[in-house]
Amino acid sequence: AAGVIQSPRHLIKEKRETATLKCYPIPRHDTVYWYQQGPGQDPQFLISFYEKMQSDKGSIPDRFSAQQFSDYHSELNMSSLELGDSALYFCASSPGTSGRNEQFFGPGTRLTVL
Amino acid sequence: AQTVTQSQPEMSVQEAETVTLSCTYDTSESDYYLFWYKQPPSRQMILVIRQEAYKQQNATENRFSVNFQKAAKSFSLKISDSQLGDAAMYFCAYRSVNAGNNRKLIWGLGTSLAVNP
């Protein structure tokens, strides 16, 4: 069965650079969630989209922005990168926003900021 | 706001034995979902088991079962016949089902489980 795809899997950037993370949800899933997991920490919710509209916003810095496109894939844009942005970034997708729908996680993008 | 607490940062179990991981949560909602996720060294987030709050019967998935105590707001995970591949970080998570509420997952800090041969 198709799973959530994230690219790239690994990314190394310098401070103050920009990064773009991509998430391709499972086919027919219209809802995407982004989470950030720092080293040794629990995941923190960043932002979510439903039908190409932002549906919820968590602890996402102003330096970050995200959107969902017409094919339902989503991109997380990160600017002015800081050392503290080094983390594993998960994308999850679900069919609709109902809390009864399971969120399926991608393998994550490991971002390292030097 | 909802919170999830895992009071055991680390646990260990002998292979083939049983271990129970604890999770408590706080919410004023009556309908919600609870989850246990496993994160092995690969850091892939894998759903282990989920429980619907309105269901009194405890969920079971093969060697994994939960003890859901709604009144006590407790949701523990029991792993039977532990295997080396069970070694991982385990996260307890909460999700609201109410319309208009956030549907993001709210996570505990995790319990690192070691399985000793």
Side-chain angles (χ1 to χ4, degrees), chain A residues 90-114:
Chain A
F90 283 110
C91 168
S93 75
S94 69
T97 60
S98 169
R100 305 188 188 285
N101 296 331
E102 179 183 341
Q103 292 183 20
F104 293 82
F105 282 81
T109 294
R110 185 183 301 274
L111 172 66
T112 301
V113 181
L114 302 176

mmCIF file of all heavy atoms in Angstrom, chain A residues 90-114:
data_model
loop_
_atom_site.group_PDB
_atom_site.id
_atom_site.type_symbol
_atom_site.label_atom_id
_atom_site.label_comp_id
_atom_site.label_asym_id
_atom_site.label_seq_id
_atom_site.Cartn_x
_atom_site.Cartn_y
_atom_site.Cartn_z
ATOM 1 N N PHE A 90 8.244 15.532 10.672
ATOM 2 C CA PHE A 90 7.301 14.525 10.207
ATOM 3 C C PHE A 90 6.129 15.183 9.493
ATOM 4 O O PHE A 90 5.644 16.234 9.896
ATOM 5 C CB PHE A 90 6.713 13.741 11.386
ATOM 6 C CG PHE A 90 7.627 12.721 11.969
ATOM 7 C CD1 PHE A 90 8.167 12.915 13.225
ATOM 8 C CD2 PHE A 90 7.917 11.552 11.296
ATOM 9 C CE1 PHE A 90 9.002 11.969 13.792
ATOM 10 C CE2 PHE A 90 8.749 10.599 11.852
ATOM 11 C CZ PHE A 90 9.300 10.809 13.100
ATOM 12 N N CYS A 91 5.680 14.505 8.482
ATOM 13 C CA CYS A 91 4.422 14.828 7.841
ATOM 14 C C CYS A 91 3.501 13.631 8.058
ATOM 15 O O CYS A 91 3.937 12.478 8.022
ATOM 16 C CB CYS A 91 4.651 15.076 6.353
ATOM 17 S SG CYS A 91 3.158 15.165 5.365
ATOM 18 N N ALA A 92 2.247 13.908 8.313
ATOM 19 C CA ALA A 92 1.254 12.841 8.432
ATOM 20 C C ALA A 92 0.049 13.218 7.588
ATOM 21 O O ALA A 92 -0.251 14.407 7.414
ATOM 22 C CB ALA A 92 0.836 12.648 9.891
ATOM 23 N N SER A 93 -0.624 12.225 7.058
ATOM 24 C CA SER A 93 -1.825 12.510 6.280
ATOM 25 C C SER A 93 -2.986 11.680 6.787
ATOM 26 O O SER A 93 -2.797 10.637 7.418
ATOM 27 C CB SER A 93 -1.600 12.238 4.783
ATOM 28 O OG SER A 93 -1.589 10.846 4.494
ATOM 29 N N SER A 94 -4.180 12.179 6.531
ATOM 30 C CA SER A 94 -5.389 11.441 6.900
ATOM 31 C C SER A 94 -6.502 11.781 5.918
ATOM 32 O O SER A 94 -6.458 12.823 5.253
ATOM 33 C CB SER A 94 -5.820 11.780 8.325
ATOM 34 O OG SER A 94 -6.282 13.108 8.413
ATOM 35 N N PRO A 95 -7.493 10.898 5.805
ATOM 36 C CA PRO A 95 -8.624 11.160 4.906
ATOM 37 C C PRO A 95 -9.659 12.013 5.620
ATOM 38 O O PRO A 95 -10.559 11.510 6.254
ATOM 39 C CB PRO A 95 -9.159 9.757 4.613
ATOM 40 C CG PRO A 95 -8.815 8.971 5.833
ATOM 41 C CD PRO A 95 -7.556 9.562 6.407
ATOM 42 N N GLY A 96 -9.516 13.315 5.554
ATOM 43 C CA GLY A 96 -10.433 14.194 6.249
ATOM 44 C C GLY A 96 -9.909 14.577 7.613
ATOM 45 O O GLY A 96 -8.903 14.035 8.097
ATOM 46 N N THR A 97 -10.596 15.484 8.243
ATOM 47 C CA THR A 97 -10.106 16.036 9.499
ATOM 48 C C THR A 97 -10.755 15.417 10.727
ATOM 49 O O THR A 97 -10.438 15.790 11.850
ATOM 50 C CB THR A 97 -10.359 17.552 9.557
ATOM 51 O OG1 THR A 97 -11.778 17.775 9.451
ATOM 52 C CG2 THR A 97 -9.646 18.270 8.430
ATOM 53 N N SER A 98 -11.649 14.486 10.517
ATOM 54 C CA SER A 98 -12.300 13.883 11.673
ATOM 55 C C SER A 98 -11.273 13.278 12.612
ATOM 56 O O SER A 98 -10.323 12.627 12.187
ATOM 57 C CB SER A 98 -13.274 12.793 11.230
ATOM 58 O OG SER A 98 -13.719 12.047 12.356
ATOM 59 N N GLY A 99 -11.480 13.496 13.870
ATOM 60 C CA GLY A 99 -10.567 12.923 14.851
ATOM 61 C C GLY A 99 -10.595 11.416 14.863
ATOM 62 O O GLY A 99 -9.728 10.782 15.452
ATOM 63 N N ARG A 100 -11.584 10.838 14.203
ATOM 64 C CA ARG A 100 -11.656 9.374 14.153
ATOM 65 C C ARG A 100 -10.720 8.813 13.083
ATOM 66 O O ARG A 100 -10.509 7.610 13.019
ATOM 67 C CB ARG A 100 -13.088 8.925 13.854
ATOM 68 C CG ARG A 100 -14.087 9.497 14.823
ATOM 69 C CD ARG A 100 -15.466 8.913 14.644
ATOM 70 N NE ARG A 100 -16.439 9.617 15.465
ATOM 71 C CZ ARG A 100 -16.550 9.471 16.778
ATOM 72 N NH1 ARG A 100 -15.780 8.620 17.399
ATOM 73 N NH2 ARG A 100 -17.442 10.164 17.459
ATOM 74 N N ASN A 101 -10.216 9.690 12.231
ATOM 75 C CA ASN A 101 -9.359 9.213 11.145
ATOM 76 C C ASN A 101 -7.906 9.138 11.593
ATOM 77 O O ASN A 101 -7.358 10.104 12.111
ATOM 78 C CB ASN A 101 -9.470 10.136 9.937
ATOM 79 C CG ASN A 101 -10.867 10.131 9.346
ATOM 80 O OD1 ASN A 101 -11.576 9.148 9.440
ATOM 81 N ND2 ASN A 101 -11.265 11.238 8.752
ATOM 82 N N GLU A 102 -7.296 7.999 11.334
ATOM 83 C CA GLU A 102 -5.910 7.807 11.731
ATOM 84 C C GLU A 102 -4.997 8.705 10.926
ATOM 85 O O GLU A 102 -5.225 8.951 9.735
ATOM 86 C CB GLU A 102 -5.515 6.343 11.508
ATOM 87 C CG GLU A 102 -4.068 6.014 11.855
ATOM 88 C CD GLU A 102 -3.726 4.582 11.554
ATOM 89 O OE1 GLU A 102 -4.652 3.763 11.423
ATOM 90 O OE2 GLU A 102 -2.530 4.279 11.448
ATOM 91 N N GLN A 103 -3.967 9.193 11.572
ATOM 92 C CA GLN A 103 -2.911 9.931 10.881
ATOM 93 C C GLN A 103 -1.798 8.950 10.534
ATOM 94 O O GLN A 103 -1.285 8.242 11.400
ATOM 95 C CB GLN A 103 -2.360 11.046 11.766
ATOM 96 C CG GLN A 103 -3.347 12.164 12.034
ATOM 97 C CD GLN A 103 -2.752 13.288 12.859
ATOM 98 O OE1 GLN A 103 -1.543 13.441 12.945
ATOM 99 N NE2 GLN A 103 -3.614 14.084 13.459
ATOM 100 N N PHE A 104 -1.445 8.915 9.259
ATOM 101 C CA PHE A 104 -0.374 8.043 8.790
ATOM 102 C C PHE A 104 0.888 8.880 8.624
ATOM 103 O O PHE A 104 0.866 9.900 7.923
ATOM 104 C CB PHE A 104 -0.766 7.392 7.461
ATOM 105 C CG PHE A 104 -1.913 6.430 7.577
ATOM 106 C CD1 PHE A 104 -3.228 6.888 7.591
ATOM 107 C CD2 PHE A 104 -1.685 5.075 7.678
ATOM 108 C CE1 PHE A 104 -4.293 6.010 7.711
ATOM 109 C CE2 PHE A 104 -2.747 4.181 7.790
ATOM 110 C CZ PHE A 104 -4.049 4.658 7.812
ATOM 111 N N PHE A 105 1.967 8.425 9.229
ATOM 112 C CA PHE A 105 3.184 9.221 9.241
ATOM 113 C C PHE A 105 4.141 8.830 8.118
ATOM 114 O O PHE A 105 4.272 7.653 7.781
ATOM 115 C CB PHE A 105 3.903 9.052 10.581
ATOM 116 C CG PHE A 105 3.286 9.866 11.681
ATOM 117 C CD1 PHE A 105 2.163 9.417 12.348
ATOM 118 C CD2 PHE A 105 3.819 11.094 12.028
ATOM 119 C CE1 PHE A 105 1.580 10.182 13.352
ATOM 120 C CE2 PHE A 105 3.244 11.863 13.032
ATOM 121 C CZ PHE A 105 2.124 11.402 13.689
ATOM 122 N N GLY A 106 4.813 9.842 7.577
ATOM 123 C CA GLY A 106 5.901 9.609 6.666
ATOM 124 C C GLY A 106 7.166 9.279 7.438
ATOM 125 O O GLY A 106 7.175 9.317 8.674
ATOM 126 N N PRO A 107 8.250 8.978 6.741
ATOM 127 C CA PRO A 107 9.497 8.595 7.403
ATOM 128 C C PRO A 107 10.246 9.757 8.021
ATOM 129 O O PRO A 107 11.195 9.553 8.775
ATOM 130 C CB PRO A 107 10.311 7.977 6.259
ATOM 131 C CG PRO A 107 9.804 8.663 5.031
ATOM 132 C CD PRO A 107 8.337 8.908 5.279
ATOM 133 N N GLY A 108 9.822 10.970 7.705
ATOM 134 C CA GLY A 108 10.472 12.144 8.272
ATOM 135 C C GLY A 108 11.610 12.671 7.413
ATOM 136 O O GLY A 108 12.213 11.955 6.618
ATOM 137 N N THR A 109 11.864 13.955 7.581
ATOM 138 C CA THR A 109 13.036 14.612 6.991
ATOM 139 C C THR A 109 13.925 15.063 8.142
ATOM 140 O O THR A 109 13.483 15.812 9.004
ATOM 141 C CB THR A 109 12.652 15.828 6.137
ATOM 142 O OG1 THR A 109 11.921 15.402 4.991
ATOM 143 C CG2 THR A 109 13.892 16.587 5.700
ATOM 144 N N ARG A 110 15.157 14.590 8.116
ATOM 145 C CA ARG A 110 16.092 14.983 9.168
ATOM 146 C C ARG A 110 16.855 16.217 8.699
ATOM 147 O O ARG A 110 17.630 16.147 7.739
ATOM 148 C CB ARG A 110 17.070 13.860 9.485
ATOM 149 C CG ARG A 110 17.996 14.164 10.657
ATOM 150 C CD ARG A 110 18.996 13.035 10.863
ATOM 151 N NE ARG A 110 18.332 11.765 11.115
ATOM 152 C CZ ARG A 110 17.937 11.372 12.305
ATOM 153 N NH1 ARG A 110 18.133 12.132 13.352
ATOM 154 N NH2 ARG A 110 17.358 10.193 12.459
ATOM 155 N N LEU A 111 16.595 17.340 9.349
ATOM 156 C CA LEU A 111 17.246 18.604 9.004
ATOM 157 C C LEU A 111 18.355 18.890 10.003
ATOM 158 O O LEU A 111 18.118 18.875 11.216
ATOM 159 C CB LEU A 111 16.239 19.750 9.007
ATOM 160 C CG LEU A 111 16.818 21.158 8.842
ATOM 161 C CD1 LEU A 111 17.438 21.329 7.457
ATOM 162 C CD2 LEU A 111 15.752 22.219 9.084
ATOM 163 N N THR A 112 19.527 19.143 9.474
ATOM 164 C CA THR A 112 20.662 19.530 10.306
ATOM 165 C C THR A 112 21.107 20.925 9.883
ATOM 166 O O THR A 112 21.386 21.159 8.700
ATOM 167 C CB THR A 112 21.836 18.550 10.150
ATOM 168 O OG1 THR A 112 21.400 17.238 10.506
ATOM 169 C CG2 THR A 112 22.986 18.955 11.055
ATOM 170 N N VAL A 113 21.141 21.833 10.841
ATOM 171 C CA VAL A 113 21.580 23.198 10.570
ATOM 172 C C VAL A 113 22.944 23.398 11.226
ATOM 173 O O VAL A 113 23.093 23.204 12.440
ATOM 174 C CB VAL A 113 20.566 24.224 11.106
ATOM 175 C CG1 VAL A 113 21.044 25.646 10.795
ATOM 176 C CG2 VAL A 113 19.195 23.991 10.495
ATOM 177 N N LEU A 114 23.920 23.748 10.403
ATOM 178 C CA LEU A 114 25.300 23.899 10.911
ATOM 179 C C LEU A 114 25.660 25.350 11.149
ATOM 180 O O LEU A 114 25.123 26.256 10.478
ATOM 181 C CB LEU A 114 26.276 23.272 9.914
ATOM 182 C CG LEU A 114 26.038 21.784 9.601
ATOM 183 C CD1 LEU A 114 27.007 21.317 8.539
ATOM 184 C CD2 LEU A 114 26.169 20.946 10.868
#
